[in-house]
């Protein structure tokens, strides 16, 4: 790519990160304190690439991760994030077994072949299945029917999964085995998607194809809608983030849990992560408020020893020493941010924390030396903040931006004619009581001890779907890259030029002296 040589006058004002940040070593800066200078460009926003490598085994197609918070990321959010090319980190404020099944839901979501479809048995009643659909929020109502040995007995079609038939046994209502379309594992060949696609072309009106082995045991299920979505994906600019088995990527948070004696509960942590790995988790995040600490270091070291191939995300830190410590313990990806989050009160309660952009500069330089990557965690409220974060970090973690989406857990509340969803800090009293106390260094099992909350419970106005929120954010990132003349994210990091802005300039940067009528979003 042809680039113009820097103009000396520009260089006097618009500085590279290594010239800019050290010149402000006596002050903490955050997103709104700086702006980026435009640079000569031959790049159209729509042609920019947003893939990012966080670790050898962890690559995303967009640099955005949804936060491991109990009002942000469960399986629905993680599926939406991965389908858009990003990643969701499933929170840990739930029983470990439930977290395992949330991960399974993501890993089993849309694939060419659903390897572990939800099955029913002939002796169940349709009413039980209706209850399950409601309780487990299934978005489908057709189920393979298998007998006690796992052999295919038929298909329970959505046409009969109705309250009217609740008292009937599945055996009376199923489509019999002989009428169910199946294919054997061997017949799938080397390109199962193409094979299934061909089948659906040849059988108009049939939406399910079941896979069986030589003994007629069920081994999977193709659905027409999945195959169509996969075909559509092939043409999409930002492809879903998938593993080598074509399953969606999924991360999960783990806690540095302590036992009754206050020691790290090694057995419990190892058993939990073993379960996550068995379900195909792509990364675990040791998520705490203070990552530069003994317990977090020991947890990361133990996980790195036991699961050397599993990408480990750890944090949070805001210092070079914190990065070096976690990298030496075996972390691959390090979360940066102490107190920037929209629901955080750490800086007010504890008096500590570093404005986010300064923290990102310091940690990014330490990370480079240690060959680890960093995530800008918290404080992102607009796409411009993401562009600024990506001048230093490999990806961002967002909580508040996604908390109002329908894919976030929680009910919609109506207040004064407006619709809201709950959004709470993992260090808020309510969240710590639900399990996240260890993240903030408090003993969860000790109700007598007063917890000092470091986060608030809040509401977010209901927002559009994750697809639409991400489309806006990605559009903004791509515009920023166009202005910087950067075709990809690594060029964003080398080309960015910064200048400090004043409060008057911050005012100038937002709509002013007008009555805002439409936001354009
Ligand atoms: P945003 O700004 O995206 O921030 O809403 C999400 C990030 O904030 C962190 N987090 C907390 N920090 N007290 C804190 O000091 C809390 O209660 C709290 N809860 C979450 C976390 O890093 C998250 O990704």
């Amino acid at each position: 790519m042809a680039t113009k040589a820097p103009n000396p006058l520009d260089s006097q004002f618009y500085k590279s990160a290594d010239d800019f940040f050290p010149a402000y070593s006596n002050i903490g800066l955050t997103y709104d304190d700086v702006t980026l200078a435009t640079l000569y460009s031959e790049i159209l926003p729509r042609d920019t690439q947003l893939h990012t490598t966080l670790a050898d085994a962890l690559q995303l197609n967009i640099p955005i991760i949804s936060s491991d918070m109990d009002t942000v990321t469960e399986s629905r959010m993680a599926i939406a994030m991965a389908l858009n090319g990003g990643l969701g980190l499933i929170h840990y404020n739930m029983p470990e077994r439930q977290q395992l099944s949330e991960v399974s839901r993501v890993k089993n979501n849309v694939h060419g072949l659903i390897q572990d479809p939800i099955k029913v048995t002939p002796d169940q009643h349709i009413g039980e299945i209706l209850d399950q659909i409601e309780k487990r929020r299934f978005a489908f109502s057709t189920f393979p029917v298998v007998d006690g040995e796992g052999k295919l007995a038929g298909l329970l079609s959505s046409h009969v999964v109705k309250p009217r038939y609740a008292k009937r046994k599945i055996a009376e209502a199923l489509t019999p085995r002989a009428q169910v379309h199946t294919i054997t594992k061997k017949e799938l060949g080397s390109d199962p998607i193409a094979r299934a696609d061909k089948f659906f072309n040849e059988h108009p009106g049939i939406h399910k194809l079941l896979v069986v082995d030589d003994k007629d045991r069920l081994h999977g299920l193709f659905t027409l809608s999945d195959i169509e979505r996969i075909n559509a994906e092939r043409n999409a600019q930002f492809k879903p983030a998938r593993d080598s088995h074509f399953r969606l990527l999924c991360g999960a948070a783990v806690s540095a849990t302590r036992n009754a004696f206050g020691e790290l509960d090694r057995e419990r942590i190892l058993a939990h992560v073993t379960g996550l790995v068995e379900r195909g988790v792509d990364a675990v995040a040791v998520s705490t408020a203070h990552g530069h600490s003994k317990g977090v270091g020991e947890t990361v070291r133990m996980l790195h020893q036991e699961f050397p191939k599993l990408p480990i995300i750890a944090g949070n830190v805001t210092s070079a020493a914190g990065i070096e410590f976690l990298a030496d313990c075996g972390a691959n990806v390090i979360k940066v941010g102490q107190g920037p989050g929209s629901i955080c009160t750490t800086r007010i309660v504890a008096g500590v924390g570093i404005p986010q952009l300064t923290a990102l500069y310091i940690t990014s330089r330490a990370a480079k030396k240690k060959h680890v990557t960093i995530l800008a965690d918290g404080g992102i409220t607009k796409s411009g903040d993401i562009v600024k974060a990506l001048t230093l970090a490999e990806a961002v973690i967002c909580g508040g931006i996604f908390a109002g989406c329908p894919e976030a857990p929680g009910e919609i509340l109506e207040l004064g004619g407006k619709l809201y969803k709950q959004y709470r800090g993992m260090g808020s009293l309510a969240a710590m009581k639900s399990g996240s106390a260890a993240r903030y260094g408090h003993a969860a099992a000790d109700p007598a001890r007063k917890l000092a909350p470091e986060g608030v419970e809040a509401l977010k106005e209901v927002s559009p779907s994750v697809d639409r929120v991400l489309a806006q954010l990605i559009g903004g990132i791509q515009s920023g890259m166009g202005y910087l003349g950067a075709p990809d994210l690594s060029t964003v990091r080398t080309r960015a030029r910064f200048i400090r802005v004043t409060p008057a300039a911050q005012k100038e940067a937002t709509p002013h002296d007008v009555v805002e009528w439409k936001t354009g979003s």
Side-chain angles (χ1 to χ4, degrees):
M1 185 189 58
T3 51
K4 296 257 152 86
N7 177 299
L9 193 55
D10 286 343
S11 309
Q12 198 184 334
F13 286 85
Y14 310 142
K15 307 275 190 194
S16 70
D18 286 327
D19 288 333
F20 177 79
F21 286 99
Y24 286 102
S25 60
N26 58 351
I27 193 165
L29 299 173
T30 192
Y31 296 122
D32 284 344
D33 292 318
V34 310
T35 190
L36 298 171
T38 56
L39 291 161
Y40 172 74
S41 180
E42 295 179 3
I43 304 299
L44 288 177
R46 65 163 186 265
D47 296 331
T48 53
Q49 295 297 322
L50 296 188
H51 57 263
T52 188
T53 298
L54 301 180
D56 287 343
L58 189 60
Q59 288 162 23
L60 307 183
N61 298 328
I62 62 165
I64 305 178
I65 297 174
S66 66
S67 182
D68 42 10
M69 298 171 72
D70 60 5
T71 45
V72 180
T73 311
E74 291 181 356
S75 52
R76 239 187 114 190
M77 175 64 69
I79 289 166
M81 291 301 298
L83 282 173
N84 280 283
L87 178 73
L89 298 175
I90 309 255
H91 72 86
Y92 54 47
N93 254 6
M94 58 176 102
E96 283 157 19
R97 277 183 51 199
Q98 192 185 335
Q99 197 199 36
L100 297 183
S101 72
E102 289 291 312
V103 169
S104 292
R105 256 186 234 180
V106 184
K107 299 305 294 180
N108 292 339
N109 183 257
V110 177
H111 359 256
L113 176 68
I114 301 170
Q115 282 152 340
D116 190 16
I118 310 286
K119 304 175 266 287
V120 297
T121 52
D123 53 338
Q124 285 180 290
H125 287 91
I126 290 186
E128 286 175 52
I129 311 305
L130 287 165
D131 288 347
Q132 287 290 318
I133 292 175
E134 165 126 12
K135 222 191 273 160
R136 297 173 66 187
R137 290 192 267 151
F138 293 146
F140 51 87
S141 54
T142 299
F143 301 88
V145 186
V146 293
D147 66 15
E149 288 157 24
K151 282 194 181 167
L152 189 63
L155 189 68
L156 185 67
S157 141
S158 57
H159 304 306
V160 293
V161 183
K162 304 254 185 278
R164 163 193 301 273
Y165 307 120
K167 295 215 168 77
R168 286 190 184 258
K169 273 199 161 180
I170 288 177
E172 301 170 57
L174 55 73
T175 308
R177 168 67 187 95
Q179 289 169 30
V180 178
H181 291 274
T182 57
I183 189 167
T184 63
K185 274 166 82 179
K186 275 189 206 136
E187 285 170 316
L188 283 179
S190 59
D191 190 349
I193 308 289
R195 184 68 193 83
D197 197 37
K198 183 164 174 273
F199 168 85
F200 289 122
N201 275 340
E202 288 166 356
H203 295 81
I206 302 297
H207 292 186
K208 303 270 184 293
L209 174 62
L210 274 61
V211 182
V212 291
D213 66 10
D214 297 341
K215 300 206 167 104
D216 213 31
R217 282 179 306 219
L218 183 69
H219 269 269
L221 163 70
F222 286 108
T223 73
L224 175 62
S225 53
D226 286 356
I227 298 293
E228 285 184 340
R229 213 171 325 185
I230 288 163
N231 285 338
E233 270 170 42
R234 294 201 167 126
N235 304 320
Q237 188 182 10
F238 299 110
K239 299 196 183 341
R242 295 193 182 280
D243 65 17
S244 54
H245 301 289
F246 214 70
R247 297 178 304 181
L248 295 177
L249 294 191
C250 180
V254 296
S255 169
T257 318
R258 297 187 173 273
N259 61 22
F261 308 104
E263 298 154 352
L264 206 62
D265 199 338
R266 289 170 166 270
E267 273 172 34
R268 183 166 162 194
I269 299 170
L270 279 181
H272 180 196
V273 176
T274 302
L276 290 169
V277 169
E278 281 167 4
R279 275 150 186 88
V281 82
D282 299 282
V284 290
V286 183
S287 291
T288 67
H290 188 16
H292 190 183
S293 58
K294 188 167 174 251
V296 179
E298 281 175 16
T299 307
V300 170
R301 203 180 286 282
M302 172 178 78
L303 294 180
H304 178 62
Q305 271 164 9
E306 294 293 324
F307 308 96
K309 291 198 183 126
L310 177 68
I312 300 174
I313 303 172
N316 283 23
V317 300
T318 45
S319 64
I323 293 278
E324 286 166 10
F325 171 74
L326 288 178
D328 288 343
C329 292
N332 310 93
V333 189
I334 299 177
K335 293 205 242 178
V336 175
Q338 280 166 329
S342 57
I343 32 50
C344 301
T345 51
T346 297
R347 292 190 201 156
I348 293 162
V349 172
V352 300
I354 301 295
Q356 185 69 341
L357 215 47
T358 294
L360 287 174
Y361 174 72
I362 294 169
T363 51
S364 66
R365 273 34 193 178
K368 205 169 178 185
K369 284 197 193 131
K370 285 287 177 185
H371 306 290
V372 294
T373 55
I374 60 167
L375 305 175
D377 182 10
I380 301 244
T381 59
K382 46 202 178 300
S383 53
D385 297 343
I386 303 184
V387 178
K388 293 173 191 175
L390 293 174
T391 63
L392 300 163
E394 278 75 12
V396 298
I397 299 187
C398 299
I401 276 188
F402 297 123
C405 295
E407 293 85 347
E411 302 305 319
I412 292 175
L413 318 166
E414 191 182 332
L415 268 182
K418 282 196 164 177
L419 299 179
Y420 297 92
K421 286 189 94 162
Q422 192 195 13
Y423 179 42
R424 66 185 188 189
M426 290 295 274
S428 66
L429 207 52
M432 287 202 288
K433 282 187 176 157
S434 308
S436 59
R439 181 171 179 149
Y440 292 83
H442 297 290
D446 182 4
R449 203 170 164 266
K450 200 170 165 297
L451 305 174
E454 287 179 34
V456 296
E457 290 170 62
L459 295 176
K460 289 291 287 188
E461 248 186 83
V462 162
S463 53
S465 66
V466 167
D467 289 2
R468 288 197 33 211
V469 171
L470 280 174
Q472 287 283 322
L473 297 178
I474 289 169
I477 300 170
Q478 291 191 295
S479 290
M481 293 170 75
Y483 281 118
L484 299 184
D488 53 37
L489 294 176
S490 63
T491 321
V492 169
R493 292 195 286 275
T494 52
R495 274 175 76 82
R497 296 292 178 269
F498 300 80
I499 186 161
R500 174 94 194 267
V501 296
T502 62
Q506 287 167 2
K507 193 171 161 222
E508 184 187 61
T510 56
H512 54 86
D513 301 312
V514 291
V515 178
E516 214 174 317
W517 183 38
K518 285 185 181 172
T519 60
S521 60

